[in-house]
Amino acid sequence: MTDTRTPEPWPALTPRLQVRPCTPADVDAMWEWRRLPEVNRWLGAAPDTRDAFRERYLDSGLLASLYLVELLPDAEGADPTPIGDIMVRRGDGWAQAEAEPEAKGVEAELGWVLDPAHTGHGYATEAIRAVIDVCFGRLGLRRVHAGCFADNEPSWRLMERLGMRREEFSRKTALHRSGVWLDGMNYGLLAEEWPTAR
């Protein structure tokens, strides 16, 4: 008898990394990099205590769209090292009323956080590339998109390295928690562009 079940899309594996769904046990590891000022200055929410962070991610359902990035061990039997997290939030494409059913769940918003202790090694590029492979491969999505503050140069440079197209540069559209209105940037990529974008 042939197995006709759809294979699980996760984990995504690269030679150095594993990207897998986050579990409640991962929240404390995520707190370690998300609490850092150089990281949380760019995040949409920055709870200031571990308890507030745990409450936000364990009680709100946000964890369901987060995936842990782990550095695979060199030694056999060792545990992977958590080094970041990636958001993959599936959503609907815009459609006219008559075409709405065909636009359900066809795209995803991406976001990422990498522990600064592990930057400069290409891990973010490698991890997001693997996630996009899953999005356009096993998940069968037609489009991914991501946004950032324009001042967050490492983030938009990563999007450009991956071949994502800048679709919007908006002037002072995002109010930062510092009280300053900042410029924003949005990037997108279509499934048919991905093989040539790499």
Side-chain angles (χ1 to χ4, degrees):
M1 186 169 170
T2 305
D3 187 351
T4 58
R5 292 177 294 180
T6 304
E8 286 294 318
W10 307 101
L13 294 169
T14 74
R16 302 186 296 171
L17 305 172
Q18 168 178 268
V19 182
R20 63 162 177 82
C22 282
T23 69
D26 299 321
V27 171
D28 287 338
M30 291 168 52
W31 164 253
E32 292 305 316
W33 54 78
R34 282 179 169 251
R35 70 181 172 81
L36 301 172
E38 65 270 31
V39 172
N40 71 32
R41 70 182 289 208
W42 303 121
L43 302 179
D48 58 357
T49 67
R50 182 185 301 267
D51 288 342
F53 182 82
R54 289 179 59 78
E55 182 178 337
R56 175 171 172 76
Y57 285 93
L58 294 177
D59 296 343
S60 66
L62 289 174
L63 204 59
S65 63
L66 291 176
Y67 297 81
L68 197 71
V69 180
E70 294 179 309
L71 184 59
L72 296 172
D74 291 331
E76 194 172 316
D79 291 329
T81 303
I83 63 168
D85 59 86
I86 297 174
M87 177 193 72
V88 181
R89 184 179 297 143
R90 271 184 97 161
D92 302 338
W94 186 90
Q96 292 178 313
E98 298 80 4
E100 279 182 3
E102 291 80 35
K104 296 287 185 196
V106 297
E107 61 184 43
E109 178 185 4
L110 305 180
W112 46 84
V113 181
L114 192 69
D115 183 340
H118 295 281
T119 59
H121 304 285
Y123 296 140
T125 304
E126 189 173 324
I128 298 299
R129 183 172 283 131
V131 166
I132 294 173
D133 280 341
V134 169
C135 287
F136 292 152
R138 292 176 237 163
L139 294 179
L141 303 183
R142 62 170 296 276
R143 181 176 185 272
V144 295
H145 60 97
C148 67
F149 291 111
D151 288 351
N152 187 356
E153 187 174 340
S155 192
W156 61 258
R157 287 207 180 273
L158 170 59
M159 291 185 252
E160 291 182 357
R161 267 195 312 279
L162 291 166
M164 297 180 80
R165 175 186 50 264
R166 185 183 300 174
E167 297 179 332
E168 177 185 25
F169 185 100
S170 54
R171 300 286 296 162
K172 296 187 177 185
T173 55
L175 182 59
H176 192 268
R177 68 180 58 88
S178 66
V180 177
W181 286 92
L182 296 178
D183 299 342
M185 299 171 79
N186 287 298
Y187 285 75
L189 184 68
L190 298 173
E192 63 257 31
E193 296 170 321
W194 182 233
T196 58
R198 296 198 284 176

